[in-house]
Amino acid sequence: MADRKAELAANLARVEERIAGACGTAGRAREDVTLVVVTKTFPASDVRLLAELGVRDVAENRDQDAAPKAAACADLPLNWHFVGQLQTNKARSVTSYAHFVHSVDRPRLVTALSEAAVRAGRETGVLLQVGFDGESESAAPRGGVRPADVPDLAERVTEAQGLRLAGVMTVAPLSGPYAGRPGETFRRLWEISTDLRSRHPAANMVSAGMSADFEEAVAAGATHVRVGSAVLGVRPRLG
Ligand SMILES: *Cc1c(COP(=O)(O)O)cnc(C)c1O
């Protein structure tokens, strides 16, 4: 366990240096970027060590793993972010521990999360996941909402009880015109965020960038970078 803590500390220090470097290059303040550590596939004991090392934001992508992990770590001062594809029948479970859901991409999910949050007496932060993996920007993406549908989905979130519109999120796509161009993807996300903030100024979170590309996300204005393997190591299984 001491070895694992030292390993995580060293990895965190390297990631911190990369974030600080990217902020410096972009002329941004380090405090403007929050590191969200993606702990999927890693045990609750790692989450505990990360909390001891000062991490305050963690993310998971599957409810069946996240729910028991969050319960095992309920004593820790952590913000939990849900970043995976979400089925409406998991909304109740996810709202019981997640402070933010980054992967909201359709009206039915807004309805389900709203009902669940109201029932739990909680307020859940919602980020709209913008999909760039369609054949074109106007084609339906496989994951996320089309850029053109962001305003309507945003209105639905602001009208829903129990939810607070917090911002936008994306994952750099593997297919479509943006494939292999994370910088361009993140700059487009920033434009979409700018539009959104003109109507909803408080929806100022921009969640973008993973281990391989978070410098480009910081350069493009990301406020939250989601970093897994660069902190925890290679994942034991696909997740
Ligand atoms: C797994 C995952 C990450 C982290 O990916 P790494 O490449 O391990 O940093 C970020 N965002 C989402 C949505 C993920 O599923």
Side-chain angles (χ1 to χ4, degrees):
M1 202 56 109
D3 285 358
R4 180 60 170 156
K5 191 170 181 179
E7 182 186 353
L8 292 175
N11 290 347
L12 272 175
R14 267 193 299 271
V15 167
E16 179 52 42
E17 205 172 299
R18 285 175 60 190
I19 295 174
C23 285
T25 304
R28 301 183 61 195
R30 171 64 189 90
E31 313 83 75
D32 292 349
V33 179
T34 300
L35 168 64
V36 181
V37 179
V38 184
T39 50
K40 65 187 183 195
T41 75
F42 289 94
S45 56
D46 278 352
V47 178
R48 195 161 283 280
L49 292 174
L50 289 167
E52 288 172 16
L53 292 165
V55 169
R56 289 296 169 261
D57 291 87
V58 295
E60 289 282 329
N61 73 333
R62 291 189 203 196
D63 176 62
Q64 58 269 43
D65 301 330
K69 229 184 273 186
C73 297
D75 58 314
L76 302 173
L78 291 170
N79 296 314
W80 290 82
H81 300 252
F82 190 85
V83 300
Q85 262 196 10
L86 183 53
Q87 293 169 314
T88 53
N89 63 0
K90 299 284 204 281
R92 238 173 116 175
S93 176
V94 167
T95 50
S96 72
Y97 57 85
H99 301 86
F100 294 96
V101 178
H102 292 224
S103 43
V104 174
D105 60 359
R106 57 198 191 279
R108 276 192 58 214
L109 185 55
V110 172
T111 308
L113 286 170
S114 171
E115 283 170 9
V118 168
R119 185 190 288 240
R122 294 177 56 122
E123 190 184 64
T124 305
V126 162
L127 288 82
L128 307 183
Q129 179 172 353
V130 184
F132 291 105
D133 62 357
E135 274 178 37
S136 71
E137 222 186 77
S138 52
R142 269 184 294 180
V145 61
R146 286 190 315 160
D149 294 331
V150 167
D152 178 61
L153 194 59
E155 291 306 323
R156 288 176 189 258
V157 174
T158 56
E159 286 160 10
Q161 285 180 43
L163 305 183
R164 182 168 46 83
L165 183 65
V168 289
M169 174 271 213
T170 202
V171 176
L174 299 174
S175 63
Y178 285 97
R181 298 154 77 190
E184 246 173 274
T185 312
F186 301 148
R187 286 191 288 279
R188 182 74 184 102
L189 183 71
W190 176 258
E191 290 177 358
I192 292 163
S193 164
T194 303
D195 280 352
L196 181 71
R197 281 178 284 117
S198 71
R199 285 175 140 265
H200 307 285
N204 58 6
M205 287 172 66
V206 180
S207 165
M210 317 203 297
S211 291
D213 55 22
F214 68 72
E215 283 96 340
E216 285 173 279
V218 169
T223 62
H224 291 69
V225 293
R226 308 179 309 269
V227 181
S229 49
V231 172
L232 288 138
V234 175
R235 274 185 286 279
R237 59 183 162 82
L238 275 185

